[in-house]
Structure formats: structure tokens, C-alpha cells
Amino acid sequence: MKKIPFVTLDQVQEIAQTYPTPFHIYDEKGIRQTARNLKKAFSWNKGFREYFAVKATPNPFLLKILQEEGCGVDCSSLTELMMSEACGFHGSDIMFSSNVTPEEDMRLAYKLGAYINLDDFTHIEWLDRLTGVPETIFCRYNPGGHFMLDNQIMDHPGDAKYGMTKQQMIDGFRLLMKKGAKRFGIHAFLASNTVTNDYYPELARTLFQLAVELRDTTGADIQYINLSGGIGVAYRPEQEENDIFAIGDGVRKAFEEVLVPAKMEDVSIFTELGRFMLAPHGLLISKVLHEKHIYKEYVGLDACAANLMRPAIYGAYHHITVLGKEDAPCDHQYDVTGGLCENNDKFAIDRMLPKINIGDYVAIHDTGAHGFSMGYNYNGKLRSAELLLKEDGSVQMIRRAETPADYFATFDFSPFFKK
């Protein structure tokens, strides 16, 4: 089985004349279609809104595309808030979900009128001293234990540093009401990168039941339920992709079974999807620099883990297409590596691919989220350009590649570094 990249060898060869590899490239048409599908899948909920997780792909050009499609933004840091403000997001366009939060970050979130999502019970008094408690406030829930689907453990919330216990949610809502809060939201994130249509409906049912219990116990006016992220993508070609319409319908059924009988049918559903929104619509394009024949067969790219960290730190799978050889037999086994001084700098291990030659271009799939954003400068490697394949077929640079001057810019050591 194979994945089809949204650019061809001819396109990449032409692009590379202006923008040398490696580079990340994003597909505007695909991004817009995914945003529209999500909105349609949850159109049964009149208050539905997607808050794109900025951390996944923090680029203002992409944020503007999603803004045009009606999305808000989910921010977790000062600079993400600043970028969102610069793009014209404000007030209820912004969800601020952070942990171990610096004062400066929280002050800006409050100043912008963002929805503030508290991660911990102790943050209530801290927020009150810092800015005062806003009339609309969210709290993040952690049920503890294991999150299971069909007797299969999906994740371990009890080991996660995020969120409050149920009793802390109850006590927190009561305390917040005493401090002036009038409208409440509930947030939770119980599993990451799930490739199943059952995760969101099950999470929704858990949160809907919690909302009814909190309302009945505290009298709080719960107006929003944020399902956060967790819907994954099919990184492997043999995996079946999530069906966002089936997922939306599953959440609707849970809504009608739990919230409607409790007379909470006006609750708005929010999502904070990053990977699902962007990952399939990004490629890391790289050129083969070297080959090596020792105990294994290696091909070395001009990209490295500084451009895409996930395989190195998680052992994550990213499919690789050798451009121009899409139909060639995958009858050669390679480790596909970068040039860092770390042995985990590998995009693939023992991967069956077509015969690869020096000078070939490869497309590494599903890098549109948590790709460029996780980059770093180890070994003095410079982060690549980001490009946008626009709907009309043209290519726009939306972030230039770093230069040595960028790398040295924070030094104040000698005139040499100011050249």
C-alpha cells in the first residue's frame, strides 16, 4: 500500500530551483477541505467551533487560512498568544490552555479576553490574585486511571500531569462562583493520536455525564464542553483513516442521550484539533546526499531530526515516497538518516523502498503538524523554509529558511557573530 503525495517530482524539481531542500510544504486546498468537513460534521451543534492547536503548526499564514474557515485558536504560551493576536484573533476566538503557566502568559490571555482553561485547582487563587477571575472560565478534567475502549487501554490519564480530579472540579466550580464566575466550560484530553471513530464519542459521553453531575451538584451554568484534541491520522498506509462524519454523529448521539434529557441542549461543543487538521496536508521534501554500505544499507538526506523530530524521539512512523518512483517495486531495505551526531537521527529503519540514488527527492508524509514546530538547532543545524502550495497551484514561501546569522543572532561575544 502507498500514500500519494500532493506534489510530483516535476513540481519539486521546479520548486527547488527557488527554494532549496529541505523544506516543509503545505497544501492549502487540503487544509480548507478538512476544516470544512469538520465544521459540517458538527453542524448539528449550533455553538460548535474548532480552536486549532497553534502548537501543532505555528505559522501565521496557516492560521489566517483557518481563520477564514471560521476556526479559533488554542494557545498554550505567550508567543502563541502574540502570534494569534497579530493574526486578528481576540476574545472568544482564543482558548488558552496551559500548565505550569508563567504570570506574563496568563496576564496576556486575560488582557486579550481569551477563554482561560485552568489546569489545576491551585490556579484559582493564583488567577484571582493575578488578574481576577473572568465571568467565563474553563476547568480541565483528569479522571485518573486508564482510558479504555473495548477493553483496550488507549492511554493513562492517571499518569498525566494535566487536569483536576472530579472532587477538585466540584470544589473548583464552587470557589470560582464565589469569585464571580458565571459561565463554565469543561475540558479534557484523555488520549493522543487515536485512529478510531469511537474515541471522541466516548470522551464526549464522559464529559457530558460530568457536566450534568457538576451542574446538579454545584448549580454552575455549564455552557461549553471542549473535547480538545486526540483525533489522530493514519500515518501508516495500511491504517484506515478516521471518518470525521462518523465521529461527529457519534458525539451527537451521546449529546442527545445525556445532555438533552438533562435539559442542557444549549451546550456548545468545542474541539482543539491540530494533528487532524494539518498533519496530512504537510510534506517534508528532502534530497538524497549520500549512500552508505556497511552492516546495513543507508541513505542520507539533507534533512535531519532538526526538521522532523518525531521518528527520533517517539520512534514514530512517517511514510516515505521516493518521488518519480511511486510505482517502482519496494525491493530495497534502507535506514533513511539525517546528518546529526546522534544515532537516533533516522526517519526510517529497515524500510522497504525502491532503489534510491544520490540526487533523488523524497517526500516524508504527514509532517503538517508537530513537524517544523518541534524543530531545533542541535549541531548548529538550521531550520528549513516553510512553503504553501496554494489552491491555484502557485507556491508561496510562508517562512524563510534560517541562516547562520539567525543562529548567531543571540550571541554578544565578538564582532564576528554580527556579520
Side-chain angles (χ1 to χ4, degrees):
M1 301 179 70
K2 62 182 180 180
K3 287 173 173 271
I4 307 299
F6 55 79
V7 290
T8 65
L9 175 61
D10 288 344
Q11 285 176 294
V12 165
Q13 288 174 328
E14 182 178 352
I15 294 167
Q17 292 179 25
T18 305
Y19 307 108
T21 56
F23 54 77
H24 285 268
I25 187 166
Y26 307 98
D27 177 23
E28 179 182 4
K29 182 178 180 180
I31 293 168
R32 290 188 183 277
Q33 189 60 56
T34 293
R36 292 169 188 175
N37 288 345
L38 174 65
K39 187 174 181 179
K40 185 176 180 181
F42 283 87
S43 59
W44 53 266
N45 182 262
K46 63 182 180 181
F48 172 77
R49 196 171 192 193
E50 156 66 7
Y51 286 81
F52 173 70
V54 176
K55 66 181 74 68
T57 323
N59 187 297
F61 291 89
L62 302 179
L63 295 186
K64 292 298 288 185
I65 290 173
L66 293 168
Q67 185 181 50
E68 291 170 6
E69 296 297 334
C71 299
V73 285
D74 159 42
C75 299
S76 59
S77 69
L78 181 73
T79 48
E80 290 177 3
L81 287 166
M82 294 171 69
M83 182 183 294
S84 298
E85 181 184 15
C87 289
F89 295 97
H90 55 81
S92 61
D93 296 335
I94 305 171
M95 180 72 61
F96 183 62
S97 298
S98 71
N99 66 97
V100 195
T101 309
E103 290 186 357
E104 186 179 15
D105 300 33
M106 187 62 79
R107 284 197 181 100
L108 180 56
Y110 184 86
K111 178 183 176 182
L112 293 175
Y115 286 141
I116 292 173
N117 180 29
L118 294 178
D119 181 64
D120 186 68
F121 181 81
T122 64
H123 292 177
I124 297 173
E125 293 288 0
W126 174 72
L127 176 65
D128 194 26
R129 292 193 302 269
L130 191 66
T131 63
V133 172
E135 291 190 351
T136 301
I137 191 81
F138 286 66
C139 291
R140 186 168 183 168
Y141 174 56
N142 183 332
H146 305 299
F147 182 77
M148 303 182 71
L149 285 177
D150 299 325
N151 296 318
Q152 178 184 357
I153 294 176
M154 303 295 291
D155 218 323
H156 305 273
D159 294 332
K161 66 177 181 176
Y162 309 108
M164 308 183 199
T165 67
K166 182 186 288 188
Q167 189 59 52
Q168 287 175 333
M169 293 286 287
I170 293 170
D171 295 341
F173 274 33
R174 285 173 172 157
L175 181 57
L176 286 162
M177 284 190 285
K178 288 181 181 179
K179 294 180 178 296
K182 293 182 169 59
R183 295 170 296 275
F184 289 84
I186 301 172
H187 174 286
F189 179 86
L190 303 187
S192 179
N193 191 33
T194 60
V195 188
T196 168
N197 295 334
D198 297 328
Y199 167 63
Y200 244 26
E202 190 64 28
L203 168 65
R205 187 176 297 276
T206 298
L207 293 185
F208 296 163
Q209 291 169 344
L210 176 66
V212 174
E213 182 176 352
L214 287 171
R215 192 240 1 224
D216 292 345
T217 303
T218 69
D221 181 12
I222 300 171
Q223 296 193 2
Y224 313 102
I225 294 179
N226 187 336
L227 303 179
S228 187
I231 298 179
V233 298
Y235 285 103
R236 296 177 180 271
E238 68 271 16
Q239 287 179 298
E240 186 174 350
E241 295 181 355
N242 284 320
D243 182 343
I244 195 60
F245 294 103
I247 291 170
D249 193 54
V251 175
R252 177 191 60 78
K253 290 176 181 175
F255 187 96
E256 291 177 352
E257 292 171 7
V258 179
L259 291 184
V260 172
K263 301 189 184 305
M264 297 180 69
E265 62 273 8
D266 291 332
V267 166
S268 296
I269 304 299
F270 294 162
T271 57
E272 291 175 347
L273 299 170
R275 190 189 317 268
F276 177 80
M277 298 294 287
L278 260 293
H281 309 304
L283 297 168
L284 173 58
I285 304 297
S286 184
K287 192 174 185 178
V288 177
L289 295 184
H290 297 286
E291 57 186 13
K292 184 170 185 174
H293 319 284
I294 49 172
Y295 307 105
K296 302 178 76 171
E297 293 294 304
Y298 295 91
V299 290
L301 307 183
D302 60 4
C304 64
N307 305 109
L308 178 64
M309 227 177 140
R310 296 185 72 252
I313 61 173
Y314 301 137
Y317 180 95
H318 282 265
H319 200 63
I320 296 175
T321 295
V322 184
L323 295 173
K325 299 180 180 180
E326 290 85 350
D327 297 322
C330 294
D331 54 4
H332 285 65
Q333 182 172 290
Y334 298 104
D335 280 15
V336 182
T337 82
L340 294 185
C341 298
E342 292 288 342
N343 198 45
N344 67 348
D345 181 22
K346 296 179 179 181
F347 296 108
I349 297 174
D350 295 331
R351 184 74 58 87
M352 298 304 298
L353 292 164
K355 174 68 173 69
I356 294 178
N357 302 105
I358 292 173
D360 282 347
Y361 289 98
V362 301
I364 304 177
H365 290 256
D366 301 311
T367 65
H370 311 291
F372 181 97
S373 66
M374 294 176 71
Y376 59 111
N377 288 121
Y378 181 60
N379 273 168
K381 293 293 186 178
L382 304 175
R383 281 172 283 199
S384 71
E386 290 183 293
L387 309 178
L388 179 66
L389 177 64
K390 298 178 71 66
E391 288 187 292
D392 63 6
S394 63
V395 173
Q396 177 185 5
M397 181 174 68
I398 58 175
R399 189 194 302 261
R400 67 168 175 83
E402 287 182 338
T403 67
D406 296 314
Y407 181 73
F408 296 129
T410 53
F411 287 117
D412 185 13
F413 178 70
S414 78
F416 176 84
F417 293 114
K418 300 183 185 299
K419 295 178 182 179

